[in-house]
Amino acid sequence: MLINEHNRSISDNFSMQSIIPFYQSIVDLDDFGVARYECLARLIDQNATTYKPENFMRFIEREAYSAQLTDHMLMQCLHSFEYQNMPWNINITAAECQDLYLLHHLRSALDFVPRFAHIGLELSQSDALSVIDVLPSFIAQCRELNVGIFVDNIHDLSEDAQQIFSLDFAGFKLSEGMITSVDIAHNSFSTIENIIGHAHANNQMVVAEYVEQDTTLQLLRKLGIRFAQGYLLGKPKQTLAALVNH
């Protein structure tokens, strides 16, 4: 069910406090331990029904709540990980790469976060390409704060799209479609191999997303991809404690 003009029972009673982080593990395939977490926004309504972002982000964007959502998620995650020696990521939008508010907020939190270098910000490939001219400056400012930027949902390997791989990102997350469509006997395999090799040479993390089949793990090993996330490796959960023990 979408939160929109046809669903006024939810939108009229919307509160940012109803959006909470769910935590999904990013797993190191060498030992299947947790390498870091992605913190995913979930909306829980008065009936305890849980909604994924695709069900409410259009409403958030229409009402210009995107910056508030990032701020809200950031503060909840700072609290959740305050005593956890574990890296974690939250998602941001293209607009926040152009707005100094997020950087100001990150700076203001420095004194209250003992392991601030663990924070990562995820930006979709389409958003990254839409603000490619301002990204070097934004990445550099985040690097000064020991905050890494990850490119999420990489699905396009066209020549124009590949310019993102030359920037100083902390890591790249390859989409399910990109991984599962790889043909070992085709050029796509060598293209991804080159990208992965370049990333490893620059100490950048490469993560395969939405891993749900054992056969995908075999392909990841052939590609040299060490990190992955998906339902096969761990579903998003509401409590961090449950993840730490999973």
Side-chain angles (χ1 to χ4, degrees), residues 25-46:
S25 53
I26 297 174
V27 172
D28 185 336
L29 297 178
D30 282 353
D31 59 10
F32 287 90
V34 178
R36 64 190 307 127
Y37 291 111
E38 180 180 0
C39 305
L40 304 163
R42 296 290 188 264
L43 186 148
I44 300 181
D45 68 12
Q46 296 175 337

Side-chain angles (χ1 to χ4, degrees), residues 12-232:
D12 289 349
N13 298 300
F14 173 78
S15 167
M16 191 63 69
Q17 299 306 314
S18 63
I19 299 181
I20 65 172
F22 272 48
Y23 308 98
Q24 185 174 31
S25 53
I26 297 174
V27 172
D28 185 336
L29 297 178
D30 282 353
D31 59 10
F32 287 90
V34 178
R36 64 190 307 127
Y37 291 111
E38 180 180 0
C39 305
L40 304 163
R42 296 290 188 264
L43 186 148
I44 300 181
D45 68 12
Q46 296 175 337
N47 298 317
T49 302
T50 302
Y51 297 92
K52 295 181 179 180
E54 55 262 33
N55 298 125
F56 61 83
M57 279 307 296
R58 188 175 300 175
F59 168 80
I60 293 289
E61 293 165 356
R62 187 188 71 201
E63 301 298 324
Y65 288 153
S66 294
Q68 290 182 44
L69 175 59
T70 299
D71 182 60
H72 176 66
M73 288 288 292
L74 176 63
M75 296 311 296
Q76 289 188 93
C77 292
L78 288 174
H79 177 72
S80 296
F81 287 92
E82 185 175 2
Y83 302 108
Q84 301 285 345
N85 185 20
M86 179 62 65
W88 51 274
N89 296 354
I90 62 170
N91 293 280
I92 63 171
T93 65
E96 285 159 317
C97 298
Q98 300 171 292
D99 189 339
L100 294 178
Y101 174 77
L102 176 60
L103 288 168
H104 289 324
H105 200 144
L106 287 169
R107 287 191 184 96
S108 70
L110 280 172
D111 293 337
F112 305 97
V113 186
R115 300 181 182 90
F116 206 75
H118 283 339
I119 296 179
L121 306 177
E122 292 193 17
L123 183 68
S124 73
Q125 182 185 31
S126 56
D127 275 0
L129 291 172
S130 73
V131 290
I132 193 72
D133 291 340
V134 304
L135 270 180
S137 174
F138 179 71
I139 292 171
Q141 292 178 83
C142 287
R143 285 288 193 184
E144 289 178 4
L145 301 175
N146 289 320
V147 173
I149 310 298
F150 291 74
V151 183
D152 186 22
N153 192 31
I154 293 178
H155 60 278
D156 183 358
L157 290 182
S158 65
E159 186 173 344
D160 287 342
Q162 287 191 41
Q163 60 186 312
I164 63 172
F165 296 109
S166 64
L167 299 181
D168 188 24
F169 288 109
F172 304 101
K173 302 180 76 174
L174 307 182
S175 71
E176 174 191 26
M178 174 162 291
I179 295 298
T180 56
S181 66
V182 169
D183 183 343
I184 294 179
H186 192 265
N187 288 339
S188 62
F189 184 81
S190 60
T191 299
I192 291 182
E193 269 197 319
N194 290 337
I195 289 169
I196 294 169
H198 181 270
H200 289 168
N202 288 280
N203 199 30
Q204 295 168 310
M205 190 177 194
V206 180
V207 181
E209 298 186 282
Y210 303 106
V211 175
E212 298 184 0
Q213 305 293 330
D214 286 326
T215 52
T216 305
L217 293 180
Q218 299 170 19
L219 179 57
L220 297 182
R221 291 188 175 95
K222 290 179 180 178
L223 286 166
I225 296 177
R226 179 177 172 181
F227 302 98
Q229 71 181 108
Y231 277 25
L232 180 67

